[in-house]
Structure formats: structure tokens, C-alpha cells
Amino acid sequence: RKPVQTKTRLAITGLALVAAASAATPAVADGGAEQRQSELRCAHQFDEAQRVDMESFRDYDLPTWTAGHDDDAITVLAQGVWFQGRERIAEVLRGHFEGREATWTWTELTRAVDGCRTATILYDATYAVPSTGFRQRAYVSVTYTYKRGKWLSVIDQSTRVAGT
């Protein structure tokens, strides 16, 4: 009889351990699910922020474009000239927004999003002013940071593509 009781106790103990582990698993899974949900939300917000950034520049919407930049944002033009500060950058690029002639096209090459912290995106972009014959193709790398619940551009660097 004793061996049967021992086996029964072991079986009951084993079942209790399995039940305890099963009860704990949803909490761990929920924590992981919440993390994934948060990262998906941030990735979706980033999709929207980078789309608005590029389209507002293309569509000459200076207030929207400026609002998507951090106060201390930096822009490095393909010619090697750089500017710092949201208002200074807007001032330097005001001609683009007021002239409403230039065309801005881009293709996303790659991106990296680190949760709700930072993101970088690389474009193959072309800026052209038809009336002057100006045309420049550049790789444009934009780095964003997540502040106060939204993505803001902190550095935008253009590198002219050779031969264009």
C-alpha cells in the first residue's frame, strides 16, 4: 500500500506544480504581449510620423513639417552645410516652402526602430527645381527620438549620390 500512496502523492504534487506553473504563465505571457503591443503601437506611430515628415516637405506644409522636428534638431545638407534648431532649419529652408516649385521624391531603403526610443530611416531621394534645371539625388538618413508621446526628427543628413 505504501508504494501506491507515494505514487499518488507524487502525482498530486506534480499536478499541483503544473497547475501553479500554468497559472503563472499567463501573467508572463501578458507582460510579453503588452511589450509587443507597445512596440507595435510605437512602430505604427513611427510609420505615421515619417510619412508626415516626408509628405509635408513635399507638399510645402511648413507648419506641419516644422512641428515634426525637435527643438535642437540638426540638418546637414548634401553640400556639407549644417544648421541646428527647429526654427533655424525652417528659416533656411523657407524658400522651398514659399517657392512651391521644387519636386521631392523618395524611396525608403531601410529602417530600424528601437521600441519607443529611437528610429532611423534611410531614403534614396531626389530634389529638383525644374525652372533652374537643378536636380540632386541623395541618400537621406533621418533619425528620430520619441519624446512626450510622439516621434520627432533630431538629425537629417543628406549625402549626395555620386554622378547625379
Side-chain angles (χ1 to χ4, degrees):
R1 275 200 123 148
K2 226 169 188 172
V4 172
Q5 287 177 339
T6 303
K7 286 182 184 177
T8 304
R9 281 190 198 137
L10 287 174
I12 291 171
T13 303
L15 288 173
L17 289 173
V18 169
S22 298
T25 302
V28 172
D30 286 346
E34 286 178 28
Q35 175 80 18
R36 282 189 301 282
Q37 197 67 2
S38 175
E39 288 178 5
L40 286 173
R41 179 182 45 79
C42 285
H44 176 72
Q45 285 178 320
F46 177 68
D47 283 342
E48 181 66 11
Q50 66 84 26
R51 183 190 63 75
V52 167
D53 186 20
M54 298 301 278
E55 290 179 1
S56 61
F57 188 79
R58 178 198 65 197
D59 298 342
Y60 315 109
D61 183 350
L62 182 59
T64 299
W65 185 76
T66 303
H69 287 70
D70 187 64
D71 291 339
D72 294 322
I74 297 169
T75 290
V76 181
L77 301 178
Q79 297 80 1
V81 181
W82 66 276
F83 308 95
Q84 185 169 15
R86 176 182 26 224
E87 297 308 319
R88 175 73 176 127
I89 294 165
E91 177 186 316
V92 168
L93 298 178
R94 189 170 304 280
H96 163 79
F97 293 94
E98 291 175 352
R100 303 181 72 81
E101 178 188 1
T103 60
W104 175 243
T105 58
W106 65 91
T107 301
E108 180 179 323
L109 299 176
T110 189
R111 70 171 58 192
V113 180
D114 182 16
C116 288
R117 289 172 293 282
T118 61
T120 302
I121 193 162
L122 179 66
Y123 302 99
D124 183 340
T126 301
Y127 186 83
V129 182
S131 67
T132 66
F134 178 84
R135 183 178 186 281
Q136 179 177 277
R137 182 173 159 224
Y139 293 128
V140 179
S141 175
V142 186
T143 301
Y144 297 82
T145 189
Y146 194 77
K147 281 187 174 177
R148 298 179 297 281
K150 64 182 183 175
W151 289 101
L152 297 171
S153 172
V154 290
I155 189 162
D156 173 331
Q157 176 153 1
S158 298
T159 303
R160 188 168 174 250
V161 176
T164 61

